[in-house]
Amino acid sequence: MRAIPLLPTPSLNLRLLEEVLYDLPPLEGVFLHWHTHGVTATTAGMHSLLARRKQLLGPTMLSGASIQLLYECAIDSLRRLSLPGQDLRCPWESRPLHARLLRHGPSLSAAETQALLPPGVLVHKTVSMTLADTLLLCTGVGTQRVTRQHLRALSAALALPRRAVKQCTVNALTCNPVETFAMQLGMVSPFLSPYHHTGLGALVLLPWPQQWEAHEREVAISLSLWESLVLPLPCLRQLIRSYAKRAYPGVSVIELESEETRYA
């Protein structure tokens, strides 16, 4: 079994990889098996399928280990939403994960992905950043950018001098996402392969407007450049925290407050 050879342009590469993807058994079957029998009932054939997807599609998708751990953490986050006193508002919110998989065209930016998503679904955006030589992953919702206020709060949380804000670089050219995170540009996310060493200094959870949760928005988490898992927005923070705790426990998680929360 060999990886697909690269073609001259990224668009041709993506077109070829998309043909390979659609020739493979869909993830819905794997998720349905986990829904019916539990993740602990993962078979050797399922491990082989996930490994084959990764070998053929490379850094354009999450690893099989990442997808399995993400599934476990997502199930736990959804259960927390349905605890007494936090009942889900409608059957649409309580649908199982295999019914939450979404296929769409490929994109290499959050703005492009957002344009491909259904109404009411927000893109899950993550960027790499160096702040005073500290490698960070900043993750949030929608196409919002890292602001100067975010940088000041980060400098304080990391006990860095205020001048560190001027030493910030987003998606630095010196940080190759394939080499550092084993992910293609456009696929970088906090759902790193478990125990994959990246030199990451911290994971940063960026705030989003509370009204997005009040309006029952959902968020699309990329499993590959063509597949996303759509979840209720209120479970995202817990999902990312629980995943990080299990996948790379030595990395600190910094959650920034929104301005509306801070001033409240």
Side-chain angles (χ1 to χ4, degrees):
M1 188 188 305
R2 297 182 301 167
I4 300 297
L6 295 180
L7 295 174
T9 66
S11 61
L12 289 177
N13 286 330
L14 290 179
R15 192 180 310 160
L16 176 59
L17 290 174
E18 186 170 9
E19 292 178 2
V20 173
L21 171 70
Y22 281 88
D23 283 339
L24 292 170
L27 273 179
E28 283 85 349
V30 176
F31 277 34
L32 179 59
H33 180 91
W34 286 338
H35 173 72
T36 306
H37 304 286
V39 178
T40 55
T42 303
T43 65
M46 293 168 65
H47 280 302
S48 177
L49 168 60
L50 293 173
R52 185 183 180 200
R53 282 171 56 99
K54 184 62 177 175
Q55 184 170 13
L56 292 175
L57 300 177
T60 64
M61 66 164 285
L62 298 183
S63 70
S66 294
I67 290 175
Q68 184 169 337
L69 180 56
L70 174 57
Y71 182 96
E72 294 181 58
C73 295
I75 287 292
D76 182 62
S77 297
L78 287 174
R79 284 174 181 159
R80 288 172 180 265
L81 282 185
S82 60
L83 291 175
Q86 303 181 49
D87 294 333
L88 298 180
R89 298 179 179 86
C90 64
W92 175 254
E93 293 187 19
S94 60
R95 66 196 190 279
L97 292 190
H98 63 269
R100 293 177 173 274
L101 289 171
L102 176 68
R103 289 203 176 193
H104 48 71
S107 70
L108 297 177
S109 73
E112 291 178 358
T113 303
Q114 184 64 74
L116 297 171
L117 298 176
V121 179
L122 296 163
V123 65
H124 177 219
K125 177 182 179 179
T126 303
V127 297
S128 64
M129 184 173 71
T130 54
L131 187 63
D133 298 325
T134 300
L135 178 61
L136 306 170
L137 272 184
C138 299
T139 189
V141 178
T143 56
Q144 57 185 334
R145 298 174 179 271
V146 178
T147 67
R148 185 166 291 273
Q149 287 76 15
H150 293 153
L151 295 179
R152 291 190 183 120
L154 270 178
S155 296
L158 295 170
L160 298 174
R162 289 182 64 88
R163 64 176 179 274
V165 173
K166 299 180 180 180
Q167 302 172 329
C168 170
T169 305
V170 177
N171 290 333
L173 296 178
T174 55
C175 178
N176 185 312
V178 176
E179 294 178 358
T180 306
F181 306 113
M183 293 181 178
Q184 177 71 39
L185 181 67
M187 264 305 297
V188 175
S189 84
F191 303 109
L192 304 171
S193 184
Y195 305 105
H196 174 74
H197 178 72
T198 61
L200 189 63
L203 172 64
V204 182
L205 284 172
L206 299 174
W208 54 80
Q210 293 180 346
Q211 63 181 1
W212 287 358
E213 296 188 13
H215 293 166
E216 303 179 20
R217 307 296 290 271
E218 294 184 302
V219 59
I221 297 170
S222 294
L223 304 182
S224 74
L225 290 182
W226 303 268
E227 301 161 301
S228 294
L229 178 64
V230 178
L231 296 172
L233 182 54
C235 75
L236 183 61
R237 288 188 181 90
Q238 173 60 32
L239 170 63
I240 292 175
R241 282 186 170 278
S242 60
Y243 185 96
K245 184 177 181 179
R246 295 178 61 179
Y248 38 97
V251 176
S252 61
V253 179
I254 302 173
E255 184 171 349
L256 301 184
E257 289 185 327
S258 64
E259 289 191 14
E260 55 186 333
T261 301
R262 185 183 312 121
Y263 293 124

